[in-house]
């Protein structure tokens, strides 16, 4: 054990300050009441360095407040603990650091471990591994995952088409139950998401404080792209996932939702009404979330608009339903599968086009009296369909691109038409979690969006690998979901 001298005036009682990165420590007093102290100016090592040492730690206070413990989130190979002794009315004589066992962390006396679906190398089989149950940090929430959608974005990672940190746990559209709040989580978050509440997790998890989030543009959150998509971590630069076998870190694609538990920044969650099922509702966090962002923010859809959707998978079929719910007058579904096109009619399409049997662009223009549609959406991520999308819109129309592609793919566009006829090409990655996710859930709750119609296949947790194989073969109509409960 190492002890560090600490002058009495360096600890003082505070309230209302939740900047955990500056060194706030929470503990429960002998009567269960929560208290807080502020640690600053610690020399050799500094508090920030100490935080890095005390990865996945438990903090314990003794003295006049009695013995107390609060869980601290973090990552690393070894657990640790910090003990502050002789706490007397805001003062302390010393602070000390010591190692502790990783297995000491559990939920209400339950298991310390969980299972998760791990990706290791491109085109290698997914494996189910044992992990330490992840620990949430400030303003993060631990979710008992109930269901996770099966998405092409994960498949792009699995096939090596989208570079991502590995090994990682995939899965990014989830439903689940709140089981724990991170230490020092804002009280408003705790009240909004009480223990036991049902939630939906959006795949874009906004930090809430970057320049884009402060302007309400959660879909462009700087920290999400700089840390999660670029590094596979949450916004302190650390993952929450560690293998049981050797303690090594494993990265997170969004929250790493194909696991029995996951940690989600609170701004990426919304309450799921009890009347909506866990399984079907999982697609609200990506398939429907992406479609809503494309149709509402990128396209600015209005009642009476004509719409074409190219690629009728989980996201494409969700675009059809969103277009119908917003009153589009003409909705054209384009695909090469007659089965998907037949299903598209139930999702809201007024016309269907099989692009293998006829020229999709010419057919769309025929349907719209030679003009083209007001809004065309590309939901597949292929250069050919990218070009079809731009050619299908009327002069002044909007071509919205939402399909992720192989990172080496490039799209072609007629520059002169783009310039002369004011064709707008707009990229859209998703919706805005804080503003839009509750609205998306309301669409499902009122029946404006039919979840049962959208989900065509369900898999057991042990069948997650098979689910992605089926997705790669194109044998899933609509969206598939993995049941985890």
């Amino acid at each position: 054990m190492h002890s560090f001298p600490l002058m009495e005036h360096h600890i003082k009682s505070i309230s209302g300050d939740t900047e955990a990165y500056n060194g706030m420590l929470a503990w429960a007093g002998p009567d269960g009441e929560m208290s807080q102290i502020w640690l600053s100016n610690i020399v050799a090592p500094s508090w920030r360095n100490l935080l890095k040492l005390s990865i996945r730690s438990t903090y314990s206070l003794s003295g006049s407040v009695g013995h107390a413990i609060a869980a601290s989130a973090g990552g690393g190979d070894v657990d640790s603990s910090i003990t502050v002794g002789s706490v007397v009315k805001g003062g302390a004589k010393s602070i000390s650091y010591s190692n502790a066992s990783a297995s000491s962390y559990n939920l209400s006396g339950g298991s310390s471990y969980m299972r998760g679906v791990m990706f290791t190398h491109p085109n290698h089989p997914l494996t189910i591994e044992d992990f330490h149950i992840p620990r949430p940090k400030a303003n993060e929430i631990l979710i008992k995952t109930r269901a996770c959608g099966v998405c092409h974005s994960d498949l792009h990672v699995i096939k090596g088409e989208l570079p991502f940190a590995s090994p990682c746990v995939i899965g990014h559209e989830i439903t689940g139950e709140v089981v724990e709040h991170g230490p020092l989580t804002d009280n408003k978050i705790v009240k909004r998401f009480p223990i036991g509440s049902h939630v939906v997790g959006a795949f874009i998890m906004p930090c809430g404080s970057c320049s884009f989030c402060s302007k309400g543009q959660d879909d462009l959150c700087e920290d999400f792209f700089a840390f999660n998509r670029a590094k596979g971590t949450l916004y302190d630069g650390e993952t929450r996932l560690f293998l049981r076998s050797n303690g090594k870190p494993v990265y997170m694609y969004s929250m790493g939702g194909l696991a029995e538990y996951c940690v989600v920044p609170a701004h990426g969650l919304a309450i799921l009404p009890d009347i909506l099922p866990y399984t079907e509702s999982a697609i609200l966090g990506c398939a429907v979330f992406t479609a809503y962002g494309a149709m509402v923010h990128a396209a600015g859809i209005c009642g009476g608009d004509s719409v074409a959707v190219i690629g009728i998978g989980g996201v494409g079929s969700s675009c059809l339903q969103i277009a119908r719910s917003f009153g589009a007058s003409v909705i054209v579904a384009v695909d090469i599968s007659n089965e998907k096109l037949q299903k598209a009619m139930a999702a809201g399409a007024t016309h269907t086009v099989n692009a293998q049997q006829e020229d999709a662009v010419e057919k769309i223009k025929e349907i719209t009296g030679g003009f083209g549609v007001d809004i065309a959406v590309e939901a597949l991520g292929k250069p050919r369909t990218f070009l079809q999308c731009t050619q299908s819109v009327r002069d002044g129309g909007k071509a919205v691109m939402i399909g992720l592609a192989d990172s080496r793919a490039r799209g072609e566009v007629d520059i002169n038409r783009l310039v002369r006829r004011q064709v707008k090409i707009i990229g859209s990655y998703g919706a805005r979690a804080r503003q839009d996710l509750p609205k998306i859930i309301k669409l499902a709750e009122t029946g404006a969006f039919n979840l049962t119609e959208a989900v065509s296949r369900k898999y057991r947790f042990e069948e997650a690998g098979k689910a992605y194989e089926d997705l790669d073969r194109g044998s899933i109509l609509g969206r598939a979901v993995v049941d985890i409960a």
Side-chain angles (χ1 to χ4, degrees):
M1 178 176 288
H2 308 284
S3 293
F4 311 113
L6 185 66
M7 303 217 25
E8 184 169 317
H9 70 274
H10 286 159
I11 296 184
K12 61 180 181 180
S13 299
I14 66 158
S15 61
D17 192 335
T18 57
E19 293 183 332
Y21 60 83
N22 282 330
M24 184 187 293
L25 181 63
W27 81 89
D31 58 355
E33 182 180 356
M34 291 303 294
S35 306
Q36 293 176 332
I37 59 174
W38 179 261
L39 304 180
S40 63
N41 248 1
I42 298 177
V43 182
S46 70
W47 177 249
R48 285 198 177 186
N49 288 338
L50 188 57
L51 274 179
K52 291 177 182 176
L53 287 173
S54 59
I55 321 179
R56 285 198 323 235
S57 39
T58 296
Y59 296 102
S60 183
L61 288 166
S62 61
S64 62
V65 297
H67 293 284
I69 294 178
S72 167
D77 298 342
V78 182
D79 266 17
S80 56
S81 66
I82 296 175
T83 303
V84 177
S86 304
V87 178
V88 285
K89 294 183 179 180
K93 299 301 181 184
S94 67
I95 182 167
S96 53
Y97 166 85
S98 65
N99 289 333
S101 167
S103 62
S104 62
Y105 179 76
N106 54 45
L107 295 169
S108 301
S111 173
S112 302
Y113 309 107
M114 68 168 192
R115 297 178 300 162
V117 177
M118 190 169 77
F119 159 78
T120 54
H121 303 288
N123 298 309
H124 282 224
L126 299 174
T127 60
I128 295 178
E129 304 291 342
D130 286 344
F131 294 83
H132 295 285
I133 290 179
R135 301 185 179 185
K137 294 188 180 181
N139 299 325
E140 297 172 356
I141 297 179
L142 180 64
I143 305 299
K144 169 63 178 137
T145 318
R146 299 297 186 181
C148 182
V150 178
C151 181
H152 262 101
S153 298
D154 296 308
L155 185 60
H156 282 307
V157 172
I158 293 168
K159 295 173 70 174
E161 295 171 348
L162 279 180
F164 193 77
S166 63
C168 71
V169 170
I170 57 171
H172 57 270
E173 53 179 4
I174 61 116
T175 53
E177 178 184 343
V178 173
V179 295
E180 186 176 56
H181 306 98
L184 314 176
T185 292
D186 188 284
N187 284 334
K188 292 179 181 177
I189 291 174
V190 174
K191 290 178 181 178
R192 190 160 73 247
F193 301 109
I195 301 298
S197 56
H198 300 185
V199 292
V200 177
F203 82 94
I204 299 178
M205 310 172 298
C207 70
S209 58
C210 71
S211 62
F212 286 111
C213 286
S214 64
K215 293 183 288 189
Q217 294 177 286
D218 292 7
D219 49 331
L220 292 174
C221 174
E222 292 172 331
D223 282 357
F224 173 75
F225 288 98
F227 288 96
N228 189 265
R229 282 300 180 264
K231 300 178 181 178
T233 69
L234 292 186
Y235 309 145
D236 59 352
E238 295 182 355
T239 181
R240 304 293 181 265
L241 296 174
F242 301 89
L243 287 168
R244 177 182 182 180
S245 59
N246 54 23
K248 289 186 177 180
V250 173
Y251 298 103
M252 309 161 66
Y253 193 67
S254 289
M255 71 289 289
L258 267 175
E260 292 173 323
Y261 291 88
C262 63
V263 169
V264 186
H267 292 312
L269 294 169
I271 291 293
L272 178 70
D274 290 345
I275 64 169
L276 290 178
Y278 275 130
T279 301
E280 288 80 1
S281 298
I283 71 168
L284 294 171
C286 178
V288 189
F289 186 79
T290 301
Y292 188 93
M295 302 307 297
V296 175
H297 296 302
I301 189 171
C302 298
D305 280 345
S306 56
V307 177
V309 179
I310 302 172
I312 311 302
V315 176
S317 59
S318 294
C319 287
L320 299 176
Q321 287 211 52
I322 297 293
R324 177 180 61 185
S325 68
F326 276 80
S329 59
V330 173
I331 305 174
V332 184
V334 181
D335 206 280
I336 60 173
S337 165
N338 285 326
E339 285 184 284
K340 290 185 178 181
L341 291 173
Q342 184 177 359
K343 188 175 176 63
M345 296 297 288
T350 59
H351 302 76
T352 62
V353 178
N354 187 316
Q356 272 191 334
Q357 298 174 2
E358 51 192 337
D359 187 306
V361 175
E362 291 303 316
K363 188 64 178 178
I364 289 170
K365 288 184 177 180
E366 178 186 323
I367 292 168
T368 56
F371 293 100
V373 289
D374 299 306
I375 300 162
V377 179
E378 196 284 337
L380 195 58
K382 304 292 184 183
R384 182 180 178 185
T385 50
F386 180 97
L387 181 59
Q388 288 174 333
C389 184
T390 64
Q391 294 174 333
S392 298
V393 296
R394 63 167 175 81
D395 291 350
K398 298 174 183 176
V400 180
M401 308 300 171
I402 60 176
L404 287 176
D406 186 313
S407 59
R408 297 161 293 187
R410 297 294 180 268
E412 180 183 341
V413 64
D414 181 340
I415 297 174
N416 287 339
R417 179 171 183 251
L418 183 77
V419 173
R420 290 171 173 169
R421 307 313 300 156
Q422 298 183 23
V423 173
K424 302 169 183 67
I425 299 177
I426 308 166
S428 179
Y429 193 47
R432 299 164 183 174
R434 290 177 296 175
Q435 304 97 310
D436 296 337
L437 193 54
K439 297 175 186 177
I440 293 166
I441 292 169
K442 184 62 70 175
L443 287 176
E445 186 179 13
T446 60
F449 190 97
N450 189 329
L451 288 171
T452 304
E453 182 68 37
V455 175
S456 59
R457 295 277 292 275
K458 299 176 186 178
Y459 294 83
R460 294 181 296 108
F461 183 71
E462 294 77 13
E463 297 175 313
K466 182 180 185 302
Y468 285 100
E469 291 171 3
D470 290 344
L471 183 65
D472 193 28
R473 283 194 294 266
S475 61
I476 295 176
L477 305 178
R479 198 64 149 194
V481 176
V482 174
D483 277 315
I484 301 177

